Amino acid sequence: MNTDLLYIMLAVYLGITVFLGYLGYRHTKSSKDYMIAGGNVHPVLMSLAYGSTFISTSAIVGFGGAAGVYGMSLLWLTVFNIFVGIFVAFVFFGVKTRQLAQELQVKTFPEFLGARFASPFIRKFSAAMICLTMPLYAAAVMIGGARYMEEALQMDYVTALTIFAVIVLAYVFFGGLRGVIYTDAMQGIIMFIGMAALVILTYSLLGGVTTAHLKLEALRNMVPQAMVAKGHMGFTAMPAFSSELWWFVISTLVLGVGIGVLAQPQLAVRFMTVSSAKGIYNGLGVGAVFILFMTGVAFTVGALSNVYFVEHGGKLALAATAAGGAAPNIDKIIPLFITLAMPEWLRYVFLFTLLSAAMSTLSGQFHIISTSISYDLNPQKGASDAQTLMLARIGTLLGFLLTLALALYLPAGIIAIATALFFGMCTAVFLPIYAAALYWPRITASGAMYSMITATVVYAGLVFFVHEKEAGIFGLCARLFGVNTLGVTPWTYIDPLVIALPVSAIVLIAASLLTQPAVKATVAEEL
């Protein structure tokens, strides 16, 4: 290992990160600066920050590893990410969100919903949901970065986890959203370079695009019979229609994450940072290309890693992670492939790619957790900017500690599942009322409240007691009833979102039609 090169690259990376965080600190003079970066961010910076916050180590390591098991069927998630996560999000949600946020004079996503429905309960319930569920997603992101450092640098996992978590904490703590936007944009550029280099070198290593895909297709006969029985049709094909694996790929990974991006509080806030609707439209192209390279490359390389592992060890990717008697770990497929197959310089570049992916997403997560705790759960009428900033920074610290604890507690192979779980919960709880807040004047505060509460109860109940993967991880069903799940097939493997989202929307519509229309607040102070 060329430690001199690594230390030089690390020093440059940290130096730039610290400098940009300092710029954010210098330009953070008010709560508006801390929470929405002053509302005057350049469209390109906003798009890069949106993309780098959206794409984390969960996508690259967790979902890239999932592609190593389920194949290129995950590329449908890339399609959804670009069409829904960029085009629909920017054009149909972003423009209206920015417009309404300025009209309501709000600075956070919970405050946005609360002001739209003139409901302190909705604001606090939304903030509480963020505080309780966001750390799960943040922990998955932390784990992804730490797993790569553990593999590539032969570093202790806990040490790796602590190092970059503390770095992220520092610049969010001091720089607020301005510091986050600046560093996210820089990290987005690093991520783009790293992923472009990875896909080029992967295809070169495996004999070119056509040859690599033919080799991957030929591995169909090596798929374990247990996976075939569940619907696996090879690494270049979709799982058998309506099979257990088909439902997992489509309902949990593609649908849950592909649509779930619309209801992500940390992404919705990004639309509040630009000065005009034109800025959001101008960011479309940058966002689409960025997402294509991030997810498309990760899923393609994850699937193709099987070719490399078979040619150099006779095992498929997941089995290769079990070398030395260790348990197979889907989260180690991408780190192991890069460590063994790529040149040393790319291993270092990809280290910073993953650090950038993790840090850019974590910074947005810690920021939204901090504002939810300090500003939305504890609204202080008449509080000075200095008091609001101090509370926000305390909230950042609390969110960091909870996330770190979860990252140390969660089991192996959890990244993709934890990410999909968070996205699914946010989609069921927030998406119906968020969309209705923008486009349906007849919606009522009562309808929104009933929808959110129902979605939370239904989704959580399915996760803890019906959906087999999550029920087995949490173990609550086993402790109470002595079985891993109370469900019956196919509901034990169909994602909870398939039930919770329609129920949430139906309750929203029915309750709104039966109650009085909400009175839209004109200023945030009404809360």
Side-chain angles (χ1 to χ4, degrees):
M1 178 183 291
N2 188 344
T3 54
D4 289 340
L5 175 61
L6 173 63
Y7 291 148
I8 290 172
M9 294 174 69
L10 181 61
V12 172
Y13 176 82
L14 293 180
I16 296 174
T17 300
V18 170
F19 174 71
L20 293 175
Y22 173 73
L23 283 183
Y25 173 74
R26 285 288 305 272
H27 291 93
T28 298
K29 304 299 183 182
S30 67
S31 59
K32 183 177 181 180
D33 288 333
Y34 192 91
M35 294 179 190
I36 57 171
N40 56 2
V41 171
H42 191 279
V44 173
L45 287 180
M46 184 277 292
S47 294
L48 286 173
Y50 179 97
S52 58
T53 301
F54 178 9
I55 301 301
S56 66
T57 52
S58 294
I60 298 172
V61 175
F63 285 79
V69 176
Y70 306 111
M72 290 193 172
S73 57
L74 264 76
L75 286 174
W76 279 108
L77 178 54
T78 297
V79 175
F80 266 64
N81 286 157
I82 294 173
F83 178 71
V84 178
I86 299 296
F87 178 73
V88 173
F90 278 47
V91 174
F92 295 100
F93 282 75
V95 173
K96 293 281 286 185
T97 297
R98 181 203 157 273
Q99 175 187 347
L100 190 55
Q102 288 202 338
E103 179 184 332
L104 297 173
Q105 301 177 28
V106 296
K107 305 182 186 73
T108 68
F109 185 72
E111 186 184 23
F112 173 86
L113 294 178
R116 169 62 180 84
F117 300 110
S119 170
F121 174 84
I122 289 177
R123 178 180 179 181
K124 291 184 178 182
F125 187 89
S126 301
M129 284 299 303
I130 290 169
C131 294
L132 291 174
T133 60
M134 183 75 78
L136 180 66
Y137 179 27
V141 175
M142 274 193 186
I143 291 168
R147 286 300 181 196
Y148 183 78
M149 293 177 68
E150 176 191 32
E151 194 68 47
L153 304 179
Q154 299 300 300
M155 181 181 290
D156 175 69
Y157 171 70
V158 176
T159 302
L161 191 68
T162 305
I163 287 175
F164 77 82
V166 170
I167 295 171
V168 177
L169 173 68
Y171 72 77
V172 179
F173 187 88
F174 291 107
L177 194 56
R178 280 196 181 275
V180 169
I181 291 284
Y182 295 160
T183 52
D184 279 359
M186 179 270 289
Q187 289 160 348
I189 294 171
I190 293 174
M191 290 162 65
F192 187 90
I193 293 171
M195 297 302 280
L198 176 62
V199 72
I200 291 171
L201 288 176
T202 297
Y203 277 122
S204 176
L205 176 69
L206 300 180
V209 176
T210 302
T211 301
H213 284 261
L214 288 174
K215 289 179 178 179
L216 183 62
E217 185 176 1
L219 298 182
R220 177 174 178 174
N221 293 332
M222 292 189 65
V223 177
Q225 284 303 307
M227 296 290 284
V228 173
K230 293 182 178 181
H232 204 302
M233 301 288 286
F235 297 101
T236 59
M238 286 292 294
F241 178 73
S242 200
S243 65
E244 179 175 342
L245 291 188
W246 186 90
W247 276 110
F248 177 69
V249 170
I250 295 300
S251 69
T252 298
L253 301 184
V254 175
L255 182 63
V257 177
I259 294 179
V261 65
L262 294 175
Q264 296 296 293
Q266 74 276 19
L267 298 181
V269 170
R270 295 296 186 269
F271 299 129
M272 303 179 191
T273 65
V274 294
S275 60
S276 67
K278 182 180 178 182
I280 294 176
Y281 290 123
N282 290 342
L284 269 173
V286 174
V289 172
F290 184 84
I291 297 301
L292 174 63
F293 265 77
M294 295 303 105
T295 61
V297 168
F299 305 159
T300 299
V301 170
L304 290 173
S305 69
N306 285 285
V307 177
Y308 173 84
F309 287 119
V310 168
E311 290 183 344
H312 293 80
K315 297 179 180 179
L316 293 175
L318 184 61
T321 65
N329 188 344
I330 195 172
D331 296 338
K332 286 191 173 185
I333 291 176
I334 292 293
L336 184 63
F337 171 70
I338 294 171
T339 301
L340 297 178
M342 294 293 112
E344 186 174 23
W345 66 268
L346 182 64
R347 295 206 301 271
Y348 296 155
V349 169
F350 203 75
L351 169 63
F352 294 106
T353 298
L354 286 186
L355 285 176
S356 297
M359 292 170 68
S360 59
T361 302
L362 283 168
S363 61
Q365 292 166 332
F366 287 162
H367 177 265
I368 198 77
I369 292 170
S370 75
T371 56
S372 294
I373 291 174
S374 62
Y375 184 69
D376 293 307
L377 285 177
N378 184 36
Q380 299 283 329
K381 289 187 177 181
S384 67
D385 275 338
Q387 290 173 317
T388 302
L389 284 172
M390 180 188 69
L391 288 173
R393 285 164 176 159
I394 293 173
T396 302
L397 183 60
L398 293 175
F400 166 79
L401 293 174
L402 179 57
T403 300
L404 188 59
L406 280 172
L408 293 170
Y409 169 79
L410 291 172
I414 193 65
I415 295 176
I417 294 174
T419 302
L421 183 62
F422 171 75
F423 274 62
M425 177 65 89
C426 280
T427 304
V429 174
F430 292 131
L431 185 55
I433 70 164
Y434 182 26
L438 300 177
Y439 287 103
W440 191 33
R442 181 62 180 81
I443 188 175
T444 70
S446 296
M449 287 189 288
Y450 288 133
S451 173
M452 296 173 74
I453 294 170
T454 301
T456 302
V457 173
V458 170
Y459 193 90
L462 292 170
V463 164
F464 288 124
F465 299 105
V466 177
H467 200 242
E468 194 167 12
K469 283 184 178 292
E470 289 85 0
I473 291 171
F474 290 109
L476 181 61
C477 187
R479 284 193 291 271
L480 293 178
F481 302 105
V483 292
N484 284 338
T485 174
L486 299 178
V488 296
T489 56
W491 300 109
T492 54
Y493 52 77
I494 294 178
D495 195 81
L497 182 64
V498 174
I499 299 174
L501 181 58
V503 169
S504 177
I506 290 169
V507 170
L508 172 69
I509 294 169
S512 292
L513 292 176
L514 293 172
T515 54
Q516 292 298 314
V519 178
K520 186 167 62 177
T522 56
V523 292
E525 284 77 8
E526 291 184 28
L527 295 177

